[in-house]
Amino acid sequence: MISVPMEWKERFDPRRFFRGEKAVDGPVLLTHRRVFIVPNRRGFGLAVLLAIQFLAAINYGNNLAFILTFLLAGIAMQSTLHAFRNLAGLSVRRGKAPPVFAGEPARFELHLDNPSRIHRLGLTARLAGSATPVRFDVAPETTATLILHAETEQRGWLSMPTVTFDTSFPLGLFRAWSPINLRQRVLVYPRPAPPGIRPTPIPEPGLGVRPDTREEEDFHGFSAYRPGDPLKRIHWKGVAKGQGVHVKQYAGGDTAELLLDWQYTPGADVEARLSRLCRWVLDAEAAGTPYGLRLPGVAIQKGRGEAHRARCLEALALFGT
């Protein structure tokens, strides 16, 4: 478990109570150093009520009023211990953070291990800047998996904001919370441009664009339709018979090759060009066309498949950074 020694200046820095400590790889154990407790609105309301009741007991010399006041105060103070125990001892580990496109919510996965026999109830988790908390429970000796979302606006690497765990268990009078920072980040691809503009053919030996010259003499069979398949290959007779949408497959022939070049990409600025190239990468992959990518200082040879697609999109996302 991660427990980095702290200097006195860091320990009493008031920002630590809201921003947490320095980011670490994890896992992070929630201990007394990381869990903070204060009364919430209900707690302050009860404190005012008990103060009035205590003054009334003094004024009238009523022993029953004294007993009731001290009993309620004792129960309220006892709830701070349960609120602390509801968070203390949990271990937080980072999970997966798959790439997304700009404008889509980034997904950060967290794993919470509960090694104790205490059932952790009424917990919430919230990323800094997020208005919607995630509510969850953790059963004894189990692991809970959380998915937290963060808004994305720009391409590149997005680090996970501070995540705060809190609870008002059991009486809702005190709020216990623990802000932590994990070294987790997600890659944000450029926002794809709307479809419509096709890339200009750029002939080049070994890597260029040629018209789709697949010979259709050898019929190979049918496959399920995928977005981007040529309409002329759709088996329309089968569609009319209610057999679903299938595409004719042919064996042999040449396959078009596509070079996506920054120099020949239209766009008013850098982000517009990257957005257009991102769209072309997605369209070429959906059509099954081998494609290469050329950026200033970056040249990716032709290919296709998920690994090739991810490599091209990563180059677009990190361009200029």
Side-chain angles (χ1 to χ4, degrees), residues 164-185:
T164 302
F165 299 95
D166 63 60
T167 180
S168 295
F169 179 85
L171 300 179
L173 300 176
F174 291 85
R175 175 179 178 257
W177 79 96
S178 179
I180 65 170
N181 294 287
L182 290 172
R183 291 196 187 103
Q184 177 68 293
R185 61 181 186 174

Side-chain angles (χ1 to χ4, degrees), residues 1-178:
M1 302 300 174
I2 299 298
S3 181
V4 181
M6 298 178 60
E7 298 179 356
W8 285 103
K9 183 179 179 180
E10 295 177 334
R11 186 177 295 272
F12 291 99
D13 187 348
R15 293 176 296 182
R16 184 172 70 92
F17 300 104
F18 305 99
R19 301 181 184 178
E21 300 176 8
K22 296 178 181 179
V24 294
D25 294 326
V28 175
L29 180 64
L30 303 187
T31 62
H32 66 280
R33 197 181 80 182
R34 299 180 183 271
V35 179
F36 314 110
I37 304 175
V38 295
N40 55 20
R41 291 183 179 181
R42 294 180 180 179
F44 281 114
L46 179 62
V48 172
L49 178 62
L50 292 179
I52 296 175
Q53 185 171 305
F54 181 70
L55 293 177
I58 294 176
N59 184 56
Y60 292 100
N62 192 319
N63 292 332
L64 292 178
F66 280 115
I67 294 175
L68 179 60
T69 301
F70 295 141
L71 177 63
L72 293 178
I75 294 175
M77 296 304 298
Q78 185 71 13
S79 68
T80 61
L81 174 62
H82 291 278
F84 171 80
R85 292 181 61 193
N86 207 31
L87 283 178
L90 289 176
S91 176
V92 185
R93 296 180 287 118
R94 61 185 182 182
K96 299 179 181 179
V100 297
F101 294 95
E104 298 179 348
R107 300 173 67 255
F108 294 100
E109 184 180 84
L110 294 177
H111 304 291
L112 280 82
D113 300 318
N114 180 15
S116 69
R117 297 183 179 181
I118 302 174
H119 200 152
R120 314 303 178 104
L121 301 171
L123 300 176
T124 62
R126 184 199 308 268
L127 286 177
S130 176
T132 305
V134 176
R135 303 184 182 277
F136 64 99
D137 301 328
V138 187
E141 300 178 347
T142 60
T143 298
T145 299
L146 303 180
I147 302 296
L148 303 179
H149 296 87
E151 297 297 327
T152 60
E153 297 180 357
Q154 300 179 348
R155 61 181 176 88
W157 288 112
L158 174 65
S159 298
M160 184 175 68
T162 301
V163 56
T164 302
F165 299 95
D166 63 60
T167 180
S168 295
F169 179 85
L171 300 179
L173 300 176
F174 291 85
R175 175 179 178 257
W177 79 96
S178 179

Side-chain angles (χ1 to χ4, degrees), residues 230-246:
L231 296 180
K232 65 180 182 179
R233 293 180 178 270
I234 295 179
H235 183 47
W236 294 107
K237 292 183 179 180
V239 176
K241 294 179 180 180
Q243 298 176 354
V245 183
H246 295 83

